[in-house]
PDB file of all heavy atoms in Angstrom:
ATOM      1  N   ILE A  88     104.558 119.577 117.190  1.00 90.00           N
ATOM      2  CA  ILE A  88     105.403 118.637 116.606  1.00 90.00           C
ATOM      3  C   ILE A  88     105.313 118.694 115.063  1.00 90.00           C
ATOM      4  O   ILE A  88     106.358 118.724 114.376  1.00 90.00           O
ATOM      5  CB  ILE A  88     105.107 117.298 117.164  1.00 90.00           C
ATOM      6  CG1 ILE A  88     105.285 117.046 118.641  1.00 90.00           C
ATOM      7  CG2 ILE A  88     105.819 116.210 116.346  1.00 90.00           C
ATOM      8  CD1 ILE A  88     104.918 115.763 119.122  1.00 90.00           C
ATOM      9  N   LEU A  93     108.605 117.220 112.584  1.00 96.00           N
ATOM     10  CA  LEU A  93     108.314 116.102 111.669  1.00 96.00           C
ATOM     11  C   LEU A  93     108.835 116.550 110.208  1.00 96.00           C
ATOM     12  O   LEU A  93     108.370 117.586 109.708  1.00 96.00           O
ATOM     13  CB  LEU A  93     106.881 115.724 111.521  1.00 96.00           C
ATOM     14  CG  LEU A  93     106.425 114.917 112.965  1.00 96.00           C
ATOM     15  CD1 LEU A  93     105.015 114.340 112.768  1.00 96.00           C
ATOM     16  CD2 LEU A  93     107.438 113.721 113.345  1.00 96.00           C
ATOM     17  N   LEU A 158     117.949 106.271 114.468  1.00 93.00           N
ATOM     18  CA  LEU A 158     116.733 106.169 115.214  1.00 93.00           C
ATOM     19  C   LEU A 158     115.671 107.412 114.958  1.00 93.00           C
ATOM     20  O   LEU A 158     114.538 107.344 115.351  1.00 93.00           O
ATOM     21  CB  LEU A 158     116.999 106.240 116.681  1.00 93.00           C
ATOM     22  CG  LEU A 158     117.645 104.939 117.230  1.00 93.00           C
ATOM     23  CD1 LEU A 158     117.895 105.077 118.693  1.00 93.00           C
ATOM     24  CD2 LEU A 158     116.769 103.614 117.011  1.00 93.00           C
ATOM     25  N   SER A 159     116.267 108.473 114.281  1.00 95.00           N
ATOM     26  CA  SER A 159     115.446 109.526 113.910  1.00 95.00           C
ATOM     27  C   SER A 159     114.369 109.225 112.846  1.00 95.00           C
ATOM     28  O   SER A 159     113.396 110.088 112.748  1.00 95.00           O
ATOM     29  CB  SER A 159     116.159 110.714 113.588  1.00 95.00           C
ATOM     30  OG  SER A 159     117.067 111.169 114.644  1.00 95.00           O
ATOM     31  N   LEU A 160     114.654 108.203 112.046  1.00 97.00           N
ATOM     32  CA  LEU A 160     113.741 107.738 111.149  1.00 97.00           C
ATOM     33  C   LEU A 160     112.488 106.957 111.735  1.00 97.00           C
ATOM     34  O   LEU A 160     112.809 105.933 112.482  1.00 97.00           O
ATOM     35  CB  LEU A 160     114.395 106.725 110.013  1.00 97.00           C
ATOM     36  CG  LEU A 160     113.336 106.260 109.077  1.00 97.00           C
ATOM     37  CD1 LEU A 160     113.017 107.344 108.054  1.00 97.00           C
ATOM     38  CD2 LEU A 160     114.271 105.191 108.214  1.00 97.00           C
ATOM     39  N   ILE A 161     111.304 107.522 111.610  1.00 97.00           N
ATOM     40  CA  ILE A 161     110.244 106.896 112.281  1.00 97.00           C
ATOM     41  C   ILE A 161     109.540 105.804 111.475  1.00 97.00           C
ATOM     42  O   ILE A 161     109.268 104.651 112.045  1.00 97.00           O
ATOM     43  CB  ILE A 161     109.103 108.021 112.490  1.00 97.00           C
ATOM     44  CG1 ILE A 161     109.716 109.162 113.495  1.00 97.00           C
ATOM     45  CG2 ILE A 161     107.765 107.332 113.052  1.00 97.00           C
ATOM     46  CD1 ILE A 161     108.811 110.288 113.604  1.00 97.00           C
ATOM     47  N   LEU A 185     102.534 110.075 127.621  1.00 69.00           N
ATOM     48  CA  LEU A 185     103.159 111.069 126.867  1.00 69.00           C
ATOM     49  C   LEU A 185     102.976 112.542 127.538  1.00 69.00           C
ATOM     50  O   LEU A 185     103.914 113.222 127.754  1.00 69.00           O
ATOM     51  CB  LEU A 185     102.746 111.145 125.423  1.00 69.00           C
ATOM     52  CG  LEU A 185     103.386 112.198 124.424  1.00 69.00           C
ATOM     53  CD1 LEU A 185     104.904 112.098 124.418  1.00 69.00           C
ATOM     54  CD2 LEU A 185     102.865 112.218 123.035  1.00 69.00           C
ATOM     55  N   ARG A 188     104.950 112.900 130.632  1.00 69.00           N
ATOM     56  CA  ARG A 188     106.373 113.032 130.255  1.00 69.00           C
ATOM     57  C   ARG A 188     106.642 114.447 129.763  1.00 69.00           C
ATOM     58  O   ARG A 188     107.606 115.191 129.952  1.00 69.00           O
ATOM     59  CB  ARG A 188     106.995 111.996 129.334  1.00 69.00           C
ATOM     60  CG  ARG A 188     107.143 110.740 129.880  1.00 69.00           C
ATOM     61  CD  ARG A 188     107.525 109.660 128.871  1.00 69.00           C
ATOM     62  NE  ARG A 188     106.519 109.228 128.086  1.00 69.00           N
ATOM     63  CZ  ARG A 188     106.587 108.310 127.021  1.00 69.00           C
ATOM     64  NH1 ARG A 188     107.700 108.085 126.626  1.00 69.00           N
ATOM     65  NH2 ARG A 188     105.531 108.110 126.403  1.00 69.00           N
ATOM     66  N   ARG A 196     113.916 120.620 125.973  1.00 72.00           N
ATOM     67  CA  ARG A 196     113.372 120.207 124.512  1.00 72.00           C
ATOM     68  C   ARG A 196     114.032 118.904 124.147  1.00 72.00           C
ATOM     69  O   ARG A 196     113.195 118.150 123.526  1.00 72.00           O
ATOM     70  CB  ARG A 196     113.892 121.345 123.551  1.00 72.00           C
ATOM     71  CG  ARG A 196     113.440 121.129 122.199  1.00 72.00           C
ATOM     72  CD  ARG A 196     111.974 120.996 121.963  1.00 72.00           C
ATOM     73  NE  ARG A 196     111.600 119.539 121.598  1.00 72.00           N
ATOM     74  CZ  ARG A 196     110.364 119.124 121.438  1.00 72.00           C
ATOM     75  NH1 ARG A 196     109.279 119.954 121.689  1.00 72.00           N
ATOM     76  NH2 ARG A 196     110.094 117.847 121.084  1.00 72.00           N
ATOM     77  N   GLN A 198     114.649 116.255 126.105  1.00 76.00           N
ATOM     78  CA  GLN A 198     113.908 115.096 126.748  1.00 76.00           C
ATOM     79  C   GLN A 198     112.559 115.038 126.147  1.00 76.00           C
ATOM     80  O   GLN A 198     112.000 114.054 126.008  1.00 76.00           O
ATOM     81  CB  GLN A 198     113.797 115.445 128.216  1.00 76.00           C
ATOM     82  CG  GLN A 198     115.211 115.228 128.950  1.00 76.00           C
ATOM     83  CD  GLN A 198     115.112 115.524 130.476  1.00 76.00           C
ATOM     84  OE1 GLN A 198     114.662 116.624 130.847  1.00 76.00           O
ATOM     85  NE2 GLN A 198     115.460 114.577 131.320  1.00 76.00           N
ATOM     86  N   GLN A 199     111.965 116.230 125.806  1.00 78.00           N
ATOM     87  CA  GLN A 199     110.597 116.112 125.168  1.00 78.00           C
ATOM     88  C   GLN A 199     110.792 115.398 123.757  1.00 78.00           C
ATOM     89  O   GLN A 199     109.795 114.685 123.394  1.00 78.00           O
ATOM     90  CB  GLN A 199     110.026 117.574 125.003  1.00 78.00           C
ATOM     91  CG  GLN A 199     109.320 118.183 126.145  1.00 78.00           C
ATOM     92  CD  GLN A 199     108.665 119.494 125.761  1.00 78.00           C
ATOM     93  OE1 GLN A 199     108.159 119.648 124.732  1.00 78.00           O
ATOM     94  NE2 GLN A 199     108.517 120.354 126.708  1.00 78.00           N
ATOM     95  N   GLY A 200     111.866 115.755 123.109  1.00 79.00           N
ATOM     96  CA  GLY A 200     112.018 115.088 121.826  1.00 79.00           C
ATOM     97  C   GLY A 200     112.052 113.637 121.988  1.00 79.00           C
ATOM     98  O   GLY A 200     111.518 112.837 121.177  1.00 79.00           O
ATOM     99  N   PHE A 201     112.813 113.192 123.055  1.00 82.00           N
ATOM    100  CA  PHE A 201     112.902 111.537 123.237  1.00 82.00           C
ATOM    101  C   PHE A 201     111.579 111.029 123.580  1.00 82.00           C
ATOM    102  O   PHE A 201     111.258 109.985 123.033  1.00 82.00           O
ATOM    103  CB  PHE A 201     113.911 111.330 124.286  1.00 82.00           C
ATOM    104  CG  PHE A 201     115.361 111.422 124.036  1.00 82.00           C
ATOM    105  CD1 PHE A 201     116.186 112.170 124.828  1.00 82.00           C
ATOM    106  CD2 PHE A 201     115.852 110.907 122.846  1.00 82.00           C
ATOM    107  CE1 PHE A 201     117.569 112.317 124.481  1.00 82.00           C
ATOM    108  CE2 PHE A 201     117.156 111.062 122.522  1.00 82.00           C
ATOM    109  CZ  PHE A 201     117.941 111.756 123.169  1.00 82.00           C
ATOM    110  N   ALA A 202     110.711 111.845 124.292  1.00 82.00           N
ATOM    111  CA  ALA A 202     109.359 111.296 124.583  1.00 82.00           C
ATOM    112  C   ALA A 202     108.469 111.321 123.391  1.00 82.00           C
ATOM    113  O   ALA A 202     107.811 110.262 123.168  1.00 82.00           O
ATOM    114  CB  ALA A 202     108.748 112.389 125.665  1.00 82.00           C
ATOM    115  N   ASP A 203     108.544 112.285 122.472  1.00 87.00           N
ATOM    116  CA  ASP A 203     107.766 112.345 121.279  1.00 87.00           C
ATOM    117  C   ASP A 203     108.154 111.248 120.427  1.00 87.00           C
ATOM    118  O   ASP A 203     107.356 110.520 119.847  1.00 87.00           O
ATOM    119  CB  ASP A 203     107.961 113.662 120.555  1.00 87.00           C
ATOM    120  CG  ASP A 203     107.441 114.882 121.380  1.00 87.00           C
ATOM    121  OD1 ASP A 203     106.708 114.635 122.207  1.00 87.00           O
ATOM    122  OD2 ASP A 203     107.977 115.913 121.171  1.00 87.00           O
ATOM    123  N   LEU A 204     109.543 111.065 120.160  1.00 89.00           N
ATOM    124  CA  LEU A 204     109.957 110.031 119.218  1.00 89.00           C
ATOM    125  C   LEU A 204     109.643 108.647 119.724  1.00 89.00           C
ATOM    126  O   LEU A 204     109.346 107.894 118.932  1.00 89.00           O
ATOM    127  CB  LEU A 204     111.513 110.246 119.181  1.00 89.00           C
ATOM    128  CG  LEU A 204     112.140 109.221 117.979  1.00 89.00           C
ATOM    129  CD1 LEU A 204     111.662 109.492 116.686  1.00 89.00           C
ATOM    130  CD2 LEU A 204     113.697 109.628 118.005  1.00 89.00           C
ATOM    131  N   GLY A 205     109.781 108.439 121.090  1.00 87.00           N
ATOM    132  CA  GLY A 205     109.388 107.135 121.673  1.00 87.00           C
ATOM    133  C   GLY A 205     107.907 106.825 121.358  1.00 87.00           C
ATOM    134  O   GLY A 205     107.496 105.769 121.081  1.00 87.00           O
ATOM    135  N   PHE A 206     107.018 107.815 121.547  1.00 86.00           N
ATOM    136  CA  PHE A 206     105.674 107.598 121.384  1.00 86.00           C
ATOM    137  C   PHE A 206     105.399 107.277 119.941  1.00 86.00           C
ATOM    138  O   PHE A 206     104.668 106.327 119.562  1.00 86.00           O
ATOM    139  CB  PHE A 206     104.814 108.935 121.791  1.00 86.00           C
ATOM    140  CG  PHE A 206     103.328 108.716 121.351  1.00 86.00           C
ATOM    141  CD1 PHE A 206     102.437 108.160 122.179  1.00 86.00           C
ATOM    142  CD2 PHE A 206     102.905 109.135 120.126  1.00 86.00           C
ATOM    143  CE1 PHE A 206     101.147 108.022 121.814  1.00 86.00           C
ATOM    144  CE2 PHE A 206     101.656 109.228 119.785  1.00 86.00           C
ATOM    145  CZ  PHE A 206     100.677 108.595 120.630  1.00 86.00           C
ATOM    146  N   LEU A 207     105.997 108.033 118.986  1.00 90.00           N
ATOM    147  CA  LEU A 207     105.577 107.806 117.522  1.00 90.00           C
ATOM    148  C   LEU A 207     106.239 106.498 117.000  1.00 90.00           C
ATOM    149  O   LEU A 207     105.471 105.758 116.278  1.00 90.00           O
ATOM    150  CB  LEU A 207     106.280 108.981 116.724  1.00 90.00           C
ATOM    151  CG  LEU A 207     105.566 110.333 116.928  1.00 90.00           C
ATOM    152  CD1 LEU A 207     106.574 111.462 116.361  1.00 90.00           C
ATOM    153  CD2 LEU A 207     104.258 110.449 116.323  1.00 90.00           C
ATOM    154  N   LYS A 208     107.370 106.048 117.424  1.00 91.00           N
ATOM    155  CA  LYS A 208     107.939 104.813 117.086  1.00 91.00           C
ATOM    156  C   LYS A 208     107.156 103.682 117.704  1.00 91.00           C
ATOM    157  O   LYS A 208     107.246 102.627 117.118  1.00 91.00           O
ATOM    158  CB  LYS A 208     109.445 104.703 117.347  1.00 91.00           C
ATOM    159  CG  LYS A 208     110.274 105.692 116.562  1.00 91.00           C
ATOM    160  CD  LYS A 208     111.771 105.593 116.966  1.00 91.00           C
ATOM    161  CE  LYS A 208     112.478 104.456 116.302  1.00 91.00           C
ATOM    162  NZ  LYS A 208     112.564 104.538 114.911  1.00 91.00           N
ATOM    163  N   GLY A 209     106.596 103.857 118.857  1.00 86.00           N
ATOM    164  CA  GLY A 209     105.833 102.830 119.644  1.00 86.00           C
ATOM    165  C   GLY A 209     104.347 102.704 119.167  1.00 86.00           C
ATOM    166  O   GLY A 209     103.687 101.804 119.681  1.00 86.00           O
ATOM    167  N   ASN A 210     103.937 103.624 118.393  1.00 85.00           N
ATOM    168  CA  ASN A 210     102.466 103.620 118.015  1.00 85.00           C
ATOM    169  C   ASN A 210     102.310 103.844 116.480  1.00 85.00           C
ATOM    170  O   ASN A 210     101.998 104.720 115.939  1.00 85.00           O
ATOM    171  CB  ASN A 210     101.899 104.844 118.710  1.00 85.00           C
ATOM    172  CG  ASN A 210     101.505 104.587 120.171  1.00 85.00           C
ATOM    173  OD1 ASN A 210     100.652 104.042 120.664  1.00 85.00           O
ATOM    174  ND2 ASN A 210     102.643 105.166 121.017  1.00 85.00           N
ATOM    175  N   SER A 235     110.603 111.302 109.437  1.00 97.00           N
ATOM    176  CA  SER A 235     111.600 111.378 110.440  1.00 97.00           C
ATOM    177  C   SER A 235     111.261 112.583 111.447  1.00 97.00           C
ATOM    178  O   SER A 235     110.391 113.409 111.272  1.00 97.00           O
ATOM    179  CB  SER A 235     113.020 111.720 109.802  1.00 97.00           C
ATOM    180  OG  SER A 235     112.889 113.045 109.097  1.00 97.00           O
ATOM    181  N   TYR A 236     112.025 112.450 112.661  1.00 95.00           N
ATOM    182  CA  TYR A 236     111.782 113.533 113.617  1.00 95.00           C
ATOM    183  C   TYR A 236     113.096 114.207 113.891  1.00 95.00           C
ATOM    184  O   TYR A 236     114.099 113.529 114.218  1.00 95.00           O
ATOM    185  CB  TYR A 236     111.311 112.863 114.884  1.00 95.00           C
ATOM    186  CG  TYR A 236     110.969 113.774 116.112  1.00 95.00           C
ATOM    187  CD1 TYR A 236     109.791 114.150 116.242  1.00 95.00           C
ATOM    188  CD2 TYR A 236     112.000 114.178 116.941  1.00 95.00           C
ATOM    189  CE1 TYR A 236     109.357 114.939 117.314  1.00 95.00           C
ATOM    190  CE2 TYR A 236     111.664 115.081 118.039  1.00 95.00           C
ATOM    191  CZ  TYR A 236     110.388 115.467 118.265  1.00 95.00           C
ATOM    192  OH  TYR A 236     110.148 116.292 119.183  1.00 95.00           O
ATOM    193  N   GLY A 237     112.993 115.460 113.932  1.00 92.00           N
ATOM    194  CA  GLY A 237     114.245 116.301 114.257  1.00 92.00           C
ATOM    195  C   GLY A 237     114.068 117.764 113.898  1.00 92.00           C
ATOM    196  O   GLY A 237     113.227 118.139 113.168  1.00 92.00           O
ATOM    197  N   TYR A 241     117.528 117.565 107.695  1.00 95.00           N
ATOM    198  CA  TYR A 241     118.263 116.270 107.347  1.00 95.00           C
ATOM    199  C   TYR A 241     118.679 116.344 105.847  1.00 95.00           C
ATOM    200  O   TYR A 241     117.762 116.568 105.076  1.00 95.00           O
ATOM    201  CB  TYR A 241     117.334 115.077 107.647  1.00 95.00           C
ATOM    202  CG  TYR A 241     117.139 114.821 109.135  1.00 95.00           C
ATOM    203  CD1 TYR A 241     115.907 114.797 109.698  1.00 95.00           C
ATOM    204  CD2 TYR A 241     118.276 114.617 109.984  1.00 95.00           C
ATOM    205  CE1 TYR A 241     115.775 114.549 111.055  1.00 95.00           C
ATOM    206  CE2 TYR A 241     118.077 114.281 111.308  1.00 95.00           C
ATOM    207  CZ  TYR A 241     116.926 114.203 111.846  1.00 95.00           C
ATOM    208  OH  TYR A 241     116.656 113.922 113.266  1.00 95.00           O
TER     209      TYR A 241
END
Side-chain angles (χ1 to χ4, degrees):
I88 292 175
L93 287 185
L158 293 177
S159 297
L160 179 63
I161 297 169
L185 176 62
R188 282 178 285 172
R196 180 58 248 177
Q198 288 179 307
Q199 279 191 28
F201 284 132
D203 296 335
L204 188 57
F206 172 83
L207 291 168
K208 292 179 76 72
N210 290 271
S235 64
Y236 184 97
Y241 287 124

